[in-house]
Amino acid sequence: MSKYKPLIGVTPFYDYEKKITYIKHGYMEGIAEAGGLGVLLPLMQKEDELADICKRLDGFLISGGPDIDAGLFGEENLPFNGEISPLRDSLEIFIAREAIRSGKPILGICRGIQVLNVALGGTLYQDIYSQIKNKVLIKHSQNAPKWYPTHCIAVEEGSKVWTVYKRERVCVNSFHHQAIKDVADGFLVTSRTSDGIIESIEHAKHVFAVGVQWHPELMWEKDKQHLGLFTKFIEAAAVFSAGK
Ligand code: MN
C-alpha cells in the first residue's frame, strides 16, 4: 500500500450568473468513504496547465450536470436540448480523453457517462422522449427522493458494474432526459433499463473507464451497496498512487 491515498480530480458545476464553481453533496464524500482524496478541478484552465494537473492525479470523476452542446457530436442543438455549459464541456472532454490516453481510472456519473461517450466519438439522444418514438419509455426523470431507486437495470455479467453488485437486476435512481445513442468505439454497454435505454458503459481495454447514467453518490449513504462503484474506482486509482 502506498502512503498516499489516490488523488481524484472531480469536475465542478458552474453557475454562470453568480460566477460560482461548486460541487453537490455525495461525490467528495463517496470518494473519501472509499479511501480516496477528492479535489475539485478548476474551470478556465489553460490546456497545458490542465495536462500538468492531470499528471499529478490518480483518477478522474466527471460529475452530473447540464446537457452537452450537440455540436460536439456533430448535431444542431434541438429545442429540447437543455442548458449548456461550455466551460464544463471543454474541461470534461479534455479530462475524458486524457483518462483514456493515460490509462488512469475515470468514473462518469449521469452527465459524466454522456461526456465520456461524446469525448471518444459517440453520440446522444438530445431528449429520449422526443427522439425515441417506436416504443414506450419508462420514467427517467423521477419524482421521488433522490436516493430512492425508481427503475431497475439488467447488468451484463462480468462487467465492472457486475463486480460491484454481483447480480443481474439492480434498482437505481434516475434523473436524465438524455441518453447514449451510438456508443463510442472501444466501449461496451454494460446495463440497460427494460425500455432499452443505456444505463452504463465501460471501455473494453481500460483498467476502469466506467460511466453510469444513475447517481450512486445520492444513494450510497442510504444503501451501502452503491458505494461499491466508488470503491472499485478508488482501488483502480490506487495503482497510480502506489508509485509516488
Ligand atoms: Mn434512467
Side-chain angles (χ1 to χ4, degrees), residues 129 138-151 171-177 214-215 218-219:
Y129 298 100
I138 63 170
K139 192 171 174 78
H140 288 275
S141 298
Q142 72 186 51
N143 284 315
K146 290 186 184 310
W147 49 266
Y148 186 75
T150 59
H151 68 35
C171 297
V172 295
N173 57 5
S174 194
F175 299 94
H176 61 108
H177 74 110
W214 67 95
H215 282 272
L218 299 172
M219 304 188 82

Side-chain angles (χ1 to χ4, degrees), residues 2-7 58 234 236-244:
S2 168
K3 60 179 174 169
Y4 295 111
K5 291 181 174 183
L7 193 62
D58 306 311
I234 298 302
V239 172
F240 291 88
S241 66
K244 291 175 180 169

Side-chain angles (χ1 to χ4, degrees), residues 139-191:
K139 192 171 174 78
H140 288 275
S141 298
Q142 72 186 51
N143 284 315
K146 290 186 184 310
W147 49 266
Y148 186 75
T150 59
H151 68 35
C152 297
I153 56 174
V155 180
E156 289 291 327
E157 192 167 353
S159 65
K160 298 280 196 306
V161 172
W162 177 276
T163 66
V164 170
Y165 296 100
K166 298 192 175 65
R167 62 181 193 277
E168 186 188 350
R169 185 179 155 87
V170 176
C171 297
V172 295
N173 57 5
S174 194
F175 299 94
H176 61 108
H177 74 110
Q178 303 199 323
I180 290 176
K181 185 161 63 179
D182 301 306
V183 182
D185 280 354
F187 281 84
L188 305 169
V189 173
T190 61
S191 72

Side-chain angles (χ1 to χ4, degrees), residues 174-236:
S174 194
F175 299 94
H176 61 108
H177 74 110
Q178 303 199 323
I180 290 176
K181 185 161 63 179
D182 301 306
V183 182
D185 280 354
F187 281 84
L188 305 169
V189 173
T190 61
S191 72
R192 293 178 191 263
T193 35
S194 60
D195 54 3
I197 294 296
I198 294 172
E199 290 275 337
S200 62
I201 59 170
E202 69 184 50
H203 195 282
K205 292 183 179 154
H206 190 288
V207 63
F208 192 99
V210 174
V212 297
Q213 189 60 73
W214 67 95
H215 282 272
E217 86 284 3
L218 299 172
M219 304 188 82
W220 68 264
E221 285 170 301
K222 282 270 183 197
D223 184 350
K224 278 291 182 294
Q225 64 173 327
H226 297 288
L227 186 69
L229 268 171
F230 286 90
T231 308
K232 295 288 176 193
F233 169 49
I234 298 302
E235 279 173 14

